[in-house]
Amino acid sequence: MAYSFPEEVLEYVFAFLSYDKDRNAVSLVCKSWYEIERCCRRRIFIGNCYAVSPQIVIRRFPEVRAVKIKGKPHFADFNLVPEGWGAYVYPWISAMARSYPWLEEIKLKRMVVTDESLELISKSFKNFKILVLSSCEGFTTDGLASIAANCRNLRELDLGESEVEDLSGHWLSHFPDNFTSLVSLNMSCLGSEVSFSALERLVLRCPNLRTLRLNRAVPVEKLPSLLRGAPKLVEFGTGAYSAEIQTDIFSNLVEAFSGCKQLKRLSGFWDAVPAYLPAMYCVCSRITSLNLSYATVQSPDLVELISQCPNLKCLWVLDHIEDAGLKVLSSYCKDLQELRVFPSDPYGAEPNVSLTEEGLVTVSAGCPKLQSVLYFCRQMSNAALITIARNRPNLIRFRLCIIDPQAPDYLTLDPLDTGFGAIVEHCKELRRLSLSGLLTDRVFEYIGTHAKKLEMLSIAFAGDSDLGLHHVLSGCESLRKLEIMDCPFGDKALLANAAKLETMRSLWMSSCSVSYGACKLLAQKMPKLNVEVIDERGHPDLRPETCPVEKLYIYRTVSGPRVDKPDFVWTMDEDAVLRLS
Amino acid sequence: MSPESETSGGLKTELTLGLPGDLQVQKSGIKRGFSEVVDLKLVNDSKAESQPPSTTQVVGWPPVRSYRKNLVKNCKYVKVAADGAPYLRKIDLEIHSSYQDLLTAMGDMFTCLTICNVLNERKLVDSANGEEYVPTYEDKDGDWMLVGDVPWKMFVESCKRMRLMKSSEAIGLGAAAPSTPSKGSSTSC
């Protein structure tokens, strides 16, 4: 066959491929397809900022318009990664500033972002549109001021759950008067007040505003003017939802809410006062997503609200909802897909609310579309887990946190192995699982045997021996991320499954029993992994080789050992790797 | 040299039952064997009554993000600056129940300051030169106020941050009589 499609045609066809997987597959067909594909790829996702260098990315993909980069491991969310560990975005921004002048979109997760980086972004990309900083840190409101002042075409500014140093609320005033392109603003993580008049003016002059998530400091009496100024809002996050009860505030609020005919998602509600919840009733029938996870209102008030939301797909709520509230949820919200129940008093020794495994069982029975669960509770039984598994074989994400580490089945005092075993056996599409409670190696046997689609597994205070880890590493074919804390897993399973680690994005182990010697050995065996030991007791050489390391983070990479390590992180066998590369 | 007692940046690595606010327990890479944690749990159970409401926390467990802990658990950390101190501290106003309690906590936190009875009132005093420190705070409106005028709860609600001013600078804040520790005044520490 002498003919082939002209490049332009292939490029046109490839443009329809949005999934990275598909694009990656296409690029493996032949050299010319690789070349065509790489020149027209517009979006890249880097799941681990240390798996590849900016230079390598830029060399391969010269025409990128949107990047998404993730930095620290997930357990950083729970303070397990010491400060100064890394994940600095600056080298990426600086490299992209030179090579991607037309970059429009930057999405970052768990990265350290400085004001310098933000300023560089604001000045380097003339058509910059979207900035999403999810669980990031390292910047102040000054950095936000640069973005506001310089990004003339900004559409989306989403600060996620980032930690921002609040120097002043005046950053918002840096949006020029002729700036009108804003579509989405999420500043819910900011601590202090922004200038309300600047905010109001901004909202009023941006006709395409669809998402507005305010911070806690915006008082409830200011909400009506904002809602009236943005009647096309689809997503709205209130500030503190409390005030002295005044009828005019309430009626203004009702009127303002009723003007928002497209409102689908609500959040905020810090310090919510029950008396103000009914102001939202007029929009409840359209609501698909409700985040009440900051609202410390009691079950009856929650129930009253939830029972008005028949189209609810996603609910985040505190355990104040109790089993009774979840029962109401299960009978009114048949479209529910995602439920997250957070603990109101995670450190209390005794339960402060009447929320048990029953609530989750009821929801699993009543909500046929339920696929994603995050549930904090204080007691669980194998029977309940088995029931949940049988009710909901369509579960994709199941994260259960029984607050007391190693809590057994409260009815039988057995480990919860069979319960979680049922989950992985019945839920064949399960992609994410977090375990808790008393668990032996047996649960890992079940997981290794059944959880073939599992991509992410989180383990704490579980297992008896290396056999547990071995079951997971040898059995879970789709595993990408494994994070383990405080488990008696040591060297054997890790070394026996070394090759597996190259098929995964990363492995985190803290307070386990992996020895320094094994870490070195692993690094020798697997030169394409970075085996990083994190130890705040000083260099591991100061201790015997058999001494377990405090924390271990292993990830595959094509760019060798990283050069920005702090003094409590060591890459194993670094010299050898550098010699080879 | 016992490797176990190696410190890193001055942080201890032994497992301790520290009170909330004891940063060392929170920040250091705690060397904890599997069984040590189990023991910790059991100790917690038996001491549940005698410990303050927020007892020792194992780093990383339960897996709740810090902004969720703060927002829900009525926790109000404010910055405290003391004139002359090299860095600021943070204090959780919610765990104290009165001005006296707060004063004591600040005395503990700023080791160069002690609490003395000046004219039958408890005051913060520099232990080196006897200079009195006046606690002031910035309220929601951005004004700097003298600590102690309003009811405790109201203070907690409106306080954004604090500053321990040297009394020599606290001119105009009537109640803070700039007392020099002389033979005349009744000063007892």
Side-chain angles (χ1 to χ4, degrees):
Chain A
M1 206 159 52
Y3 40 16
S4 55
F5 284 124
E7 254 184 51
E8 295 80 15
V9 177
L10 283 170
E11 229 182 87
Y12 183 75
V13 173
F14 294 168
F16 290 95
L17 300 173
S18 48
Y19 293 120
D20 278 347
K21 268 184 119 174
D22 295 335
R23 282 199 162 252
N24 292 344
V26 150
S27 65
L28 292 173
V29 166
C30 63
K31 278 198 183 139
S32 72
W33 279 38
Y34 174 91
E35 281 302 313
I36 297 166
E37 193 284 318
R38 79 179 188 86
C39 290
C40 69
R41 194 180 298 210
R42 293 273 182 270
R43 312 188 68 87
I44 41 172
F45 168 68
I46 294 152
N48 173 6
C49 63
Y50 291 121
V52 66
S53 71
Q55 288 70 33
I56 293 174
V57 173
I58 290 169
R59 200 169 61 212
R60 180 169 171 189
F61 301 114
E63 296 294 332
V64 166
R65 297 277 186 274
V67 292
K68 180 170 180 178
I69 313 174
K70 293 186 176 182
K72 299 185 204 171
H74 173 242
F75 272 176
D77 284 357
F78 316 125
N79 302 322
L80 284 169
V81 176
E83 195 145 328
W85 177 83
Y88 307 104
V89 81
Y90 190 82
W92 288 89
I93 306 298
S94 135
M96 294 190 299
R98 283 190 296 272
S99 308
Y100 295 152
W102 299 112
L103 193 69
E104 292 177 5
E105 187 178 314
I106 296 176
K107 293 183 176 176
L108 305 174
K109 188 165 186 178
R110 288 192 204 96
M111 294 200 79
V112 176
V113 181
T114 56
D115 285 347
E116 219 188 347
S117 303
L118 291 176
E119 198 181 337
L120 191 55
I121 289 172
S122 76
K123 296 195 168 143
S124 313
F125 310 115
K126 299 296 167 210
N127 205 25
F128 195 67
K129 296 198 168 95
I130 296 176
L131 183 63
V132 176
L133 302 174
S134 178
S135 304
C136 294
E137 50 155 355
F139 60 103
T140 77
T141 41
D142 285 354
L144 298 179
S146 313
I147 297 286
N150 301 319
C151 300
R152 297 301 160 106
N153 297 309
L154 194 71
R155 296 224 185 116
E156 190 174 329
L157 179 60
D158 181 342
L159 304 177
E161 288 108 21
S162 298
E163 255 182 60
V164 185
E165 197 184 329
D166 249 310
L167 297 176
S168 125
H170 290 119
W171 66 272
L172 205 68
S173 319
H174 286 254
F175 281 112
D177 290 333
N178 61 358
F179 170 78
T180 58
S181 51
L182 201 63
V183 173
S184 171
L185 176 63
N186 175 9
M187 47 179 237
S188 53
C189 63
L190 294 182
S192 61
E193 267 179 60
V194 290
S195 150
F196 184 76
S197 54
L199 175 61
E200 201 176 14
R201 274 181 283 120
L202 180 65
V203 168
L204 286 168
R205 69 177 184 271
C206 294
N208 298 318
L209 199 63
R210 294 291 174 271
T211 295
L212 179 62
R213 294 180 65 182
L214 305 169
N215 65 338
R216 195 175 187 175
V218 178
V220 76
E221 54 265 23
K222 306 272 206 215
L223 298 184
S225 70
L226 293 172
L227 288 169
R228 274 194 295 270
K232 295 204 206 144
L233 276 183
V234 173
E235 176 166 7
F236 183 63
T238 75
Y241 204 66
S242 74
E244 295 280 310
I245 310 305
Q246 287 176 38
T247 36
D248 55 342
I249 297 181
F250 186 87
S251 53
N252 283 346
L253 209 47
V254 173
E255 205 194 312
F257 269 122
S258 53
C260 296
K261 306 284 184 204
Q262 300 180 31
L263 207 46
K264 288 208 159 69
R265 299 190 287 273
L266 289 173
S267 57
F269 303 114
W270 287 273
D271 316 311
V273 152
Y276 275 105
L277 293 178
M280 293 188 285
Y281 286 176
C282 52
V283 296
C284 281
S285 60
R286 287 186 288 271
I287 293 299
T288 57
S289 168
L290 201 48
N291 181 351
L292 295 167
S293 60
Y294 304 130
T296 49
V297 288
Q298 302 305 308
S299 186
D301 302 301
L302 286 171
V303 157
E304 195 52 57
L305 179 61
I306 286 166
S307 56
Q308 316 240 356
C309 306
N311 290 312
L312 201 59
K313 290 197 165 77
C314 175
L315 176 66
W316 291 23
V317 72
L318 286 172
D319 55 11
H320 287 297
I321 192 171
E322 300 190 322
D323 289 340
L326 290 175
K327 193 164 177 197
V328 173
L329 176 70
S330 70
S331 51
Y332 280 86
C333 304
K334 294 304 187 185
D335 261 0
L336 194 72
Q337 290 174 17
E338 177 176 333
L339 174 66
R340 296 197 192 193
V341 178
F342 294 96
S344 52
D345 186 18
Y347 301 108
E350 297 299 316
N352 59 325
V353 292
S354 176
L355 179 106
T356 67
E357 81 284 6
E358 261 189 56
L360 186 56
V361 172
T362 317
V363 176
S364 75
C367 301
K369 299 190 190 165
L370 187 70
Q371 59 183 32
S372 182
V373 170
L374 170 63
Y375 199 77
F376 281 82
C377 61
R378 286 171 190 272
Q379 68 185 40
M380 187 50 62
S381 67
N382 283 310
L385 285 170
I386 292 167
T387 306
I388 292 166
R390 290 199 178 130
N391 285 342
R392 290 277 65 77
N394 50 325
L395 282 174
I396 293 177
R397 283 172 222 100
F398 189 72
R399 298 160 69 186
L400 180 66
C401 178
I402 306 160
I403 289 178
D404 207 9
Q406 305 188 305
D409 177 324
Y410 77 101
L411 295 167
T412 64
L413 298 183
D414 288 333
L416 289 168
D417 300 336
T418 40
F420 279 106
I423 295 281
V424 292
E425 198 184 330
H426 290 272
C427 306
K428 303 204 193 301
E429 299 301 312
L430 197 69
R431 293 203 301 255
R432 184 165 179 185
L433 177 65
S434 299
L435 306 171
S436 58
L438 183 64
L439 297 164
T440 71
D441 284 345
R442 178 111 305 155
V443 73
F444 299 113
E445 197 184 336
Y446 295 140
I447 291 173
T449 307
H450 295 286
K452 296 305 181 187
K453 300 261 178 85
L454 193 66
E455 295 178 7
M456 182 168 177
L457 179 62
S458 309
I459 309 171
F461 306 106
D464 311 306
S465 73
D466 270 54
L467 199 51
L469 181 57
H470 175 71
H471 284 309
V472 171
L473 290 176
S474 57
C476 296
E477 288 158 11
S478 312
L479 197 64
R480 292 189 298 112
K481 288 180 280 184
L482 180 57
E483 48 185 25
I484 303 171
M485 58 179 270
D486 296 81
C487 294
F489 299 147
D491 304 342
K492 287 201 256 350
L494 207 54
L495 292 171
N497 292 282
K500 170 74 173 175
L501 299 175
E502 228 182 75
T503 69
M504 292 164 56
R505 182 186 295 171
S506 65
L507 166 63
W508 168 279
M509 292 178 77
S510 55
S511 305
C512 296
S513 310
V514 181
S515 72
Y516 175 46
C519 294
K520 287 195 288 189
L521 200 53
L522 182 63
Q524 273 168 31
K525 277 177 100 165
M526 308 292 303
K528 292 209 204 111
L529 297 178
N530 276 351
V531 178
E532 292 182 6
V533 166
I534 301 167
D535 212 312
E536 288 179 294
R537 297 170 294 180
H539 200 292
D541 278 340
L542 301 169
R543 294 176 290 280
E545 288 230 339
T546 50
C547 188
V549 300
E550 258 172 21
K551 299 172 190 188
L552 183 56
Y553 186 50
I554 303 170
Y555 56 91
R556 64 182 177 190
T557 179
V558 295
S559 51
R562 60 181 177 113
V563 297
D564 60 359
K565 296 189 289 286
D567 58 12
F568 51 82
V569 177
W570 295 272
T571 305
M572 298 293 98
D573 211 37
E574 184 161 0
D575 304 325
V577 177
L578 288 169
R579 267 183 272 121
L580 286 170
S581 60
Chain B
M1 171 161 74
S2 150
E4 248 74 308
S5 63
E6 267 273 301
T7 56
S8 169
L11 298 170
K12 286 195 193 150
T13 55
E14 285 94 12
L15 195 62
T16 56
L17 290 178
L19 287 173
D22 181 351
L23 297 170
Q24 293 187 335
V25 174
Q26 294 287 345
K27 274 193 177 174
S28 73
I30 298 176
K31 172 193 156 335
R32 60 199 197 215
F34 191 52
S35 53
E36 282 172 336
V37 176
V38 175
D39 289 342
L40 170 68
K41 181 186 74 94
L42 292 175
V43 168
N44 256 351
D45 280 347
S46 62
K47 283 193 176 175
E49 288 93 54
S50 54
Q51 290 278 23
S54 48
T55 49
T56 316
Q57 299 156 22
V58 174
V59 177
W61 194 265
V64 179
R65 299 198 52 191
S66 30
Y67 68 82
R68 287 201 178 279
K69 294 181 215 164
N70 292 340
L71 295 165
V72 174
K73 202 195 138 238
N74 261 352
C75 172
K76 188 170 182 180
Y77 276 96
V78 296
K79 289 182 185 175
V80 183
D83 287 351
Y87 47 79
L88 279 64
R89 301 298 303 266
K90 269 195 169 171
I91 213 167
D92 180 3
L93 294 179
E94 286 288 348
I95 63 172
H96 299 290
S97 49
S98 67
Y99 286 119
Q100 294 303 329
D101 216 9
L102 178 65
L103 210 66
T104 311
M106 290 198 292
D108 290 340
M109 196 173 256
F110 292 97
T111 49
C112 51
L113 304 178
T114 48
I115 301 189
C116 286
N117 277 320
V118 178
L119 302 171
N120 288 325
E121 261 190 75
R122 289 171 84 236
K123 303 259 178 162
L124 279 168
V125 164
D126 188 333
S127 39
N129 58 27
E131 177 157 19
E132 206 186 300
Y133 278 74
V134 176
T136 62
Y137 71 101
E138 186 183 7
D139 73 0
K140 278 183 170 166
D141 301 325
D143 298 318
W144 283 91
M145 319 282 290
L146 179 70
V147 167
D149 286 333
V150 300
W152 171 253
K153 287 253 174 243
M154 199 184 286
F155 161 72
V156 170
E157 225 264 305
S158 57
C159 174
K160 270 173 61 174
R161 74 176 105 161
M162 295 184 63
R163 179 181 160 203
L164 301 175
M165 280 175 85
K166 288 191 176 149
S167 69
S168 47
E169 287 186 41
I171 302 160
L173 292 178
S179 58
T180 41
S182 64
K183 289 171 230 158
S185 55
S186 53
T187 317
S188 56
C189 291

